[in-house]
Amino acid sequence: MAGTGSEVVPLDALGALGAYRARNRLSVTDVAGRESAELSLVPPLFVDRTLKALHRAVSPLPDERIGMIGRAADLFESGTLDGLTPEAYAHRVSRVGGTPISVVRATVTAIAARLRKAHHSVEQARPTGAVHRWDDPLTRGGRAVWVRRGNVFAVHAAGNHPGPHSLWPEALALGYRVAVRPSRREPFTPHRLVGALRAAGFGDDQVALLPTDHTTADALLRGADLGLVYGGEDVVRKYAADPSVLPQGPGRSKVLLTREVDWREHLDTIVASVSGHGGTGCVNTTAVLVEGDPAPLCAALAERLAAVPSLPPEDPAAVFPVQPLATAKALEAHLLHRAQGARAWLGGDGVLDELGDGSAVLRAAVHQLDGPGAPQTAVELPFPCVWVAPWTREAGAGPLRDSLVLTAITHDDRLVAELVEEPSIGNVYVGDHPTYRMESGLPHDDHLAGFLMRCKSVIRD
């Protein structure tokens, strides 16, 4: 691949014998419908052969793995890979995925930083009483040993944002061999990351990129020991009962403000939680619950978000995401249908702003609900869309359930304790912290290593 211009670049599969250009190729188009890349789609036989090679392979030693991941971080962040400079890569991602280019650039830095701390991140998940090796001196008296649940890990990658690609390399740090099926919506990030890992020293039989059609996708999961799958509610339902697959679904992240705090002091954080990273992530705020009258907050949110300009995604000042016009119209229609009965402060007449090239900006929407139990609080859309509802102490944690992240802006420690104990709330941020805040070593939806690893007892003479 080369260049930042209008040429169509090939995105080859990266199998156990190196790069492979398939006869069956998918056209990857940008938000204006212009072809940007050709993605090679591999058949089931290719997937099967690659996974068998990964199963046969022997992983490098732990220190070697960590060193290679660190070198890959540098290459991913600042190297020219397959002819693409970091800026050329960011431009492609922005134009194809519709993600503001400033978000792409920041995410590149964040992914590289997380790769450099991969060893630290997985160590946070290891039980303090467990050791790494069976021959650790502590096992002479009997000790738990932390071991992999398998050897080959498959990933059905997300396409809404490049950020989730910071997670699966932790499996390499633990000694897994990894096969990634990229999303058709944005295949550039996994292609670049797998290329960086290989250039840093991981063998072709250690990490692979296997683009497939939908009918072949399940073959990838069947051929691996464990899998990670991103998607909507349908994906969660499909794999909920499969202990070998970890589904990552909607986030429905929320902000709660109790009566004793002044929401005006936290407006910047709320706006950022709604619109940061383009408002496309599972950690973006989709519902705000307020103890008291939510109308003043709705008005302030609407005023701030209405002032954001509509810009193409490659513009450095872009904030809102961009989609092909047909996709944007479908999302707008879905919003207007779901918003029936709610008071629209922003977006009531629609959220589209056409750019004149076949694409449209998805602008923000702010709606006020009558109560915390309104069904719209569970609606998550891939642009800045927030539902604001009144909340009462009597309602308690009920309306806050099923949240990936909950930012609780409150001085009520008893309430915080209740929220932390609630099983369906993934993460609780107390105080002025945006819901999209993520740090190396902190679990996103529990630690990935908690799914990949297990403890077994070892007692020896």
Side-chain angles (χ1 to χ4, degrees), residues 353-382:
D353 199 348
E354 296 189 38
L355 292 176
D357 63 353
S359 68
V361 177
L362 283 162
R363 297 189 55 79
V366 178
H367 288 83
Q368 181 179 337
L369 305 173
D370 291 334
Q376 290 96 330
T377 59
V379 174
E380 183 176 270
L381 294 170

mmCIF file of all heavy atoms in Angstrom, residues 353-382:
data_model
loop_
_atom_site.group_PDB
_atom_site.id
_atom_site.type_symbol
_atom_site.label_atom_id
_atom_site.label_comp_id
_atom_site.label_asym_id
_atom_site.label_seq_id
_atom_site.Cartn_x
_atom_site.Cartn_y
_atom_site.Cartn_z
ATOM 1 N N ASP A 353 -26.658 16.652 8.339
ATOM 2 C CA ASP A 353 -26.163 17.856 7.672
ATOM 3 C C ASP A 353 -25.332 17.366 6.486
ATOM 4 O O ASP A 353 -24.193 16.914 6.659
ATOM 5 C CB ASP A 353 -25.315 18.694 8.623
ATOM 6 C CG ASP A 353 -25.180 20.131 8.140
ATOM 7 O OD1 ASP A 353 -25.543 20.396 6.970
ATOM 8 O OD2 ASP A 353 -24.710 20.987 8.920
ATOM 9 N N GLU A 354 -25.927 17.409 5.302
ATOM 10 C CA GLU A 354 -25.249 16.865 4.122
ATOM 11 C C GLU A 354 -24.031 17.698 3.760
ATOM 12 O O GLU A 354 -24.061 18.933 3.830
ATOM 13 C CB GLU A 354 -26.224 16.802 2.939
ATOM 14 C CG GLU A 354 -27.393 15.850 3.163
ATOM 15 C CD GLU A 354 -28.220 15.643 1.908
ATOM 16 O OE1 GLU A 354 -27.612 15.581 0.817
ATOM 17 O OE2 GLU A 354 -29.462 15.547 2.029
ATOM 18 N N LEU A 355 -22.961 17.004 3.348
ATOM 19 C CA LEU A 355 -21.722 17.674 2.978
ATOM 20 C C LEU A 355 -21.595 17.873 1.479
ATOM 21 O O LEU A 355 -20.615 18.454 1.014
ATOM 22 C CB LEU A 355 -20.518 16.875 3.501
ATOM 23 C CG LEU A 355 -20.375 16.849 5.032
ATOM 24 C CD1 LEU A 355 -19.222 15.943 5.426
ATOM 25 C CD2 LEU A 355 -20.164 18.253 5.583
ATOM 26 N N GLY A 356 -22.560 17.372 0.701
ATOM 27 C CA GLY A 356 -22.571 17.612 -0.725
ATOM 28 C C GLY A 356 -21.742 16.644 -1.548
ATOM 29 O O GLY A 356 -21.649 16.787 -2.771
ATOM 30 N N ASP A 357 -21.155 15.652 -0.920
ATOM 31 C CA ASP A 357 -20.342 14.674 -1.654
ATOM 32 C C ASP A 357 -20.883 13.255 -1.510
ATOM 33 O O ASP A 357 -20.187 12.287 -1.788
ATOM 34 C CB ASP A 357 -18.887 14.722 -1.169
ATOM 35 C CG ASP A 357 -18.748 14.338 0.312
ATOM 36 O OD1 ASP A 357 -19.791 14.169 0.988
ATOM 37 O OD2 ASP A 357 -17.606 14.202 0.787
ATOM 38 N N GLY A 358 -22.138 13.145 -1.065
ATOM 39 C CA GLY A 358 -22.715 11.823 -0.829
ATOM 40 C C GLY A 358 -22.602 11.369 0.605
ATOM 41 O O GLY A 358 -23.007 10.249 0.938
ATOM 42 N N SER A 359 -22.073 12.231 1.475
ATOM 43 C CA SER A 359 -21.962 11.896 2.892
ATOM 44 C C SER A 359 -22.704 12.935 3.720
ATOM 45 O O SER A 359 -23.102 13.997 3.212
ATOM 46 C CB SER A 359 -20.490 11.847 3.324
ATOM 47 O OG SER A 359 -19.910 13.131 3.302
ATOM 48 N N ALA A 360 -22.885 12.626 5.002
ATOM 49 C CA ALA A 360 -23.596 13.551 5.885
ATOM 50 C C ALA A 360 -23.031 13.473 7.289
ATOM 51 O O ALA A 360 -22.673 12.392 7.773
ATOM 52 C CB ALA A 360 -25.093 13.229 5.910
ATOM 53 N N VAL A 361 -22.959 14.612 7.934
ATOM 54 C CA VAL A 361 -22.582 14.676 9.345
ATOM 55 C C VAL A 361 -23.789 14.254 10.180
ATOM 56 O O VAL A 361 -24.924 14.651 9.901
ATOM 57 C CB VAL A 361 -22.150 16.092 9.732
ATOM 58 C CG1 VAL A 361 -21.830 16.179 11.224
ATOM 59 C CG2 VAL A 361 -20.953 16.529 8.905
ATOM 60 N N LEU A 362 -23.535 13.426 11.185
ATOM 61 C CA LEU A 362 -24.570 13.073 12.150
ATOM 62 C C LEU A 362 -24.399 13.981 13.361
ATOM 63 O O LEU A 362 -23.500 13.788 14.191
ATOM 64 C CB LEU A 362 -24.442 11.597 12.543
ATOM 65 C CG LEU A 362 -24.984 10.615 11.504
ATOM 66 C CD1 LEU A 362 -24.436 9.215 11.742
ATOM 67 C CD2 LEU A 362 -26.509 10.596 11.520
ATOM 68 N N ARG A 363 -25.231 14.991 13.436
ATOM 69 C CA ARG A 363 -25.132 15.971 14.494
ATOM 70 C C ARG A 363 -25.773 15.447 15.786
ATOM 71 O O ARG A 363 -26.427 14.407 15.785
ATOM 72 C CB ARG A 363 -25.778 17.288 14.052
ATOM 73 C CG ARG A 363 -25.046 17.914 12.851
ATOM 74 C CD ARG A 363 -25.555 19.309 12.571
ATOM 75 N NE ARG A 363 -25.461 20.161 13.752
ATOM 76 C CZ ARG A 363 -24.327 20.745 14.167
ATOM 77 N NH1 ARG A 363 -23.197 20.563 13.488
ATOM 78 N NH2 ARG A 363 -24.325 21.498 15.253
ATOM 79 N N ALA A 364 -25.582 16.177 16.862
ATOM 80 C CA ALA A 364 -26.026 15.711 18.170
ATOM 81 C C ALA A 364 -27.531 15.838 18.349
ATOM 82 O O ALA A 364 -28.187 16.682 17.724
ATOM 83 C CB ALA A 364 -25.305 16.491 19.263
ATOM 84 N N ALA A 365 -28.055 15.004 19.237
ATOM 85 C CA ALA A 365 -29.466 15.055 19.621
ATOM 86 C C ALA A 365 -29.558 15.044 21.143
ATOM 87 O O ALA A 365 -28.831 14.297 21.810
ATOM 88 C CB ALA A 365 -30.222 13.868 19.043
ATOM 89 N N VAL A 366 -30.447 15.868 21.672
ATOM 90 C CA VAL A 366 -30.703 15.927 23.108
ATOM 91 C C VAL A 366 -32.204 15.836 23.313
ATOM 92 O O VAL A 366 -32.960 16.656 22.777
ATOM 93 C CB VAL A 366 -30.168 17.244 23.730
ATOM 94 C CG1 VAL A 366 -30.496 17.289 25.225
ATOM 95 C CG2 VAL A 366 -28.671 17.390 23.507
ATOM 96 N N HIS A 367 -32.660 14.846 24.084
ATOM 97 C CA HIS A 367 -34.090 14.652 24.351
ATOM 98 C C HIS A 367 -34.320 14.528 25.853
ATOM 99 O O HIS A 367 -33.535 13.897 26.565
ATOM 100 C CB HIS A 367 -34.614 13.396 23.651
ATOM 101 C CG HIS A 367 -34.717 13.541 22.159
ATOM 102 N ND1 HIS A 367 -33.653 13.360 21.318
ATOM 103 C CD2 HIS A 367 -35.784 13.855 21.369
ATOM 104 C CE1 HIS A 367 -34.035 13.547 20.069
ATOM 105 N NE2 HIS A 367 -35.321 13.851 20.072
ATOM 106 N N GLN A 368 -35.426 15.107 26.299
ATOM 107 C CA GLN A 368 -35.821 15.019 27.704
ATOM 108 C C GLN A 368 -36.936 13.998 27.852
ATOM 109 O O GLN A 368 -37.914 13.995 27.086
ATOM 110 C CB GLN A 368 -36.286 16.383 28.204
ATOM 111 C CG GLN A 368 -36.703 16.388 29.678
ATOM 112 C CD GLN A 368 -37.140 17.768 30.137
ATOM 113 O OE1 GLN A 368 -36.761 18.776 29.539
ATOM 114 N NE2 GLN A 368 -37.945 17.807 31.204
ATOM 115 N N LEU A 369 -36.799 13.126 28.851
ATOM 116 C CA LEU A 369 -37.773 12.073 29.121
ATOM 117 C C LEU A 369 -38.572 12.408 30.376
ATOM 118 O O LEU A 369 -38.135 13.191 31.225
ATOM 119 C CB LEU A 369 -37.062 10.733 29.289
ATOM 120 C CG LEU A 369 -36.160 10.309 28.116
ATOM 121 C CD1 LEU A 369 -35.379 9.049 28.478
ATOM 122 C CD2 LEU A 369 -36.986 10.087 26.858
ATOM 123 N N ASP A 370 -39.737 11.768 30.488
ATOM 124 C CA ASP A 370 -40.608 12.044 31.627
ATOM 125 C C ASP A 370 -40.133 11.383 32.910
ATOM 126 O O ASP A 370 -40.399 11.891 34.008
ATOM 127 C CB ASP A 370 -42.038 11.570 31.322
ATOM 128 C CG ASP A 370 -42.694 12.423 30.246
ATOM 129 O OD1 ASP A 370 -42.295 13.598 30.095
ATOM 130 O OD2 ASP A 370 -43.601 11.905 29.555
ATOM 131 N N GLY A 371 -39.474 10.233 32.797
ATOM 132 C CA GLY A 371 -39.068 9.518 33.999
ATOM 133 C C GLY A 371 -37.872 8.626 33.738
ATOM 134 O O GLY A 371 -37.520 8.336 32.585
ATOM 135 N N PRO A 372 -37.221 8.149 34.800
ATOM 136 C CA PRO A 372 -36.002 7.353 34.643
ATOM 137 C C PRO A 372 -36.247 5.972 34.044
ATOM 138 O O PRO A 372 -35.306 5.334 33.574
ATOM 139 C CB PRO A 372 -35.474 7.238 36.073
ATOM 140 C CG PRO A 372 -36.697 7.372 36.936
ATOM 141 C CD PRO A 372 -37.577 8.347 36.222
ATOM 142 N N GLY A 373 -37.507 5.528 34.046
ATOM 143 C CA GLY A 373 -37.799 4.212 33.495
ATOM 144 C C GLY A 373 -38.179 4.222 32.028
ATOM 145 O O GLY A 373 -38.540 3.181 31.467
ATOM 146 N N ALA A 374 -38.101 5.371 31.375
ATOM 147 C CA ALA A 374 -38.459 5.454 29.960
ATOM 148 C C ALA A 374 -37.556 4.535 29.139
ATOM 149 O O ALA A 374 -36.350 4.456 29.385
ATOM 150 C CB ALA A 374 -38.332 6.890 29.462
ATOM 151 N N PRO A 375 -38.118 3.829 28.161
ATOM 152 C CA PRO A 375 -37.317 2.863 27.397
ATOM 153 C C PRO A 375 -36.188 3.503 26.606
ATOM 154 O O PRO A 375 -35.207 2.825 26.273
ATOM 155 C CB PRO A 375 -38.351 2.203 26.478
ATOM 156 C CG PRO A 375 -39.497 3.176 26.396
ATOM 157 C CD PRO A 375 -39.526 3.848 27.729
ATOM 158 N N GLN A 376 -36.289 4.787 26.312
ATOM 159 C CA GLN A 376 -35.227 5.429 25.514
ATOM 160 C C GLN A 376 -33.888 5.482 26.237
ATOM 161 O O GLN A 376 -32.853 5.638 25.592
ATOM 162 C CB GLN A 376 -35.641 6.856 25.130
ATOM 163 C CG GLN A 376 -36.758 6.922 24.107
ATOM 164 C CD GLN A 376 -38.111 7.105 24.769
ATOM 165 O OE1 GLN A 376 -38.318 6.656 25.905
ATOM 166 N NE2 GLN A 376 -39.028 7.755 24.089
ATOM 167 N N THR A 377 -33.888 5.349 27.567
ATOM 168 C CA THR A 377 -32.601 5.382 28.271
ATOM 169 C C THR A 377 -31.714 4.216 27.872
ATOM 170 O O THR A 377 -30.500 4.234 28.132
ATOM 171 C CB THR A 377 -32.804 5.357 29.798
ATOM 172 O OG1 THR A 377 -33.523 4.175 30.169
ATOM 173 C CG2 THR A 377 -33.547 6.598 30.268
ATOM 174 N N ALA A 378 -32.276 3.193 27.238
ATOM 175 C CA ALA A 378 -31.494 2.048 26.775
ATOM 176 C C ALA A 378 -31.114 2.150 25.303
ATOM 177 O O ALA A 378 -30.474 1.249 24.761
ATOM 178 C CB ALA A 378 -32.267 0.751 27.014
ATOM 179 N N VAL A 379 -31.509 3.248 24.638
ATOM 180 C CA VAL A 379 -31.230 3.403 23.206
ATOM 181 C C VAL A 379 -29.829 3.973 23.021
ATOM 182 O O VAL A 379 -29.497 5.028 23.553
ATOM 183 C CB VAL A 379 -32.278 4.317 22.542
ATOM 184 C CG1 VAL A 379 -31.899 4.593 21.089
ATOM 185 C CG2 VAL A 379 -33.658 3.670 22.610
ATOM 186 N N GLU A 380 -29.008 3.259 22.255
ATOM 187 C CA GLU A 380 -27.635 3.687 21.982
ATOM 188 C C GLU A 380 -27.453 3.794 20.480
ATOM 189 O O GLU A 380 -27.676 2.831 19.747
ATOM 190 C CB GLU A 380 -26.651 2.672 22.570
ATOM 191 C CG GLU A 380 -25.200 3.047 22.413
ATOM 192 C CD GLU A 380 -24.298 2.042 23.112
ATOM 193 O OE1 GLU A 380 -24.000 2.240 24.301
ATOM 194 O OE2 GLU A 380 -23.903 1.050 22.470
ATOM 195 N N LEU A 381 -27.041 4.959 20.010
ATOM 196 C CA LEU A 381 -26.854 5.200 18.584
ATOM 197 C C LEU A 381 -25.416 5.639 18.320
ATOM 198 O O LEU A 381 -24.758 6.212 19.204
ATOM 199 C CB LEU A 381 -27.840 6.267 18.102
ATOM 200 C CG LEU A 381 -29.314 5.845 18.150
ATOM 201 C CD1 LEU A 381 -30.233 7.032 17.893
ATOM 202 C CD2 LEU A 381 -29.586 4.741 17.154
ATOM 203 N N PRO A 382 -24.886 5.406 17.113
ATOM 204 C CA PRO A 382 -23.462 5.659 16.842
ATOM 205 C C PRO A 382 -23.140 7.112 16.487
ATOM 206 O O PRO A 382 -22.423 7.391 15.528
ATOM 207 C CB PRO A 382 -23.180 4.716 15.665
ATOM 208 C CG PRO A 382 -24.471 4.656 14.923
ATOM 209 C CD PRO A 382 -25.539 4.691 15.982
#
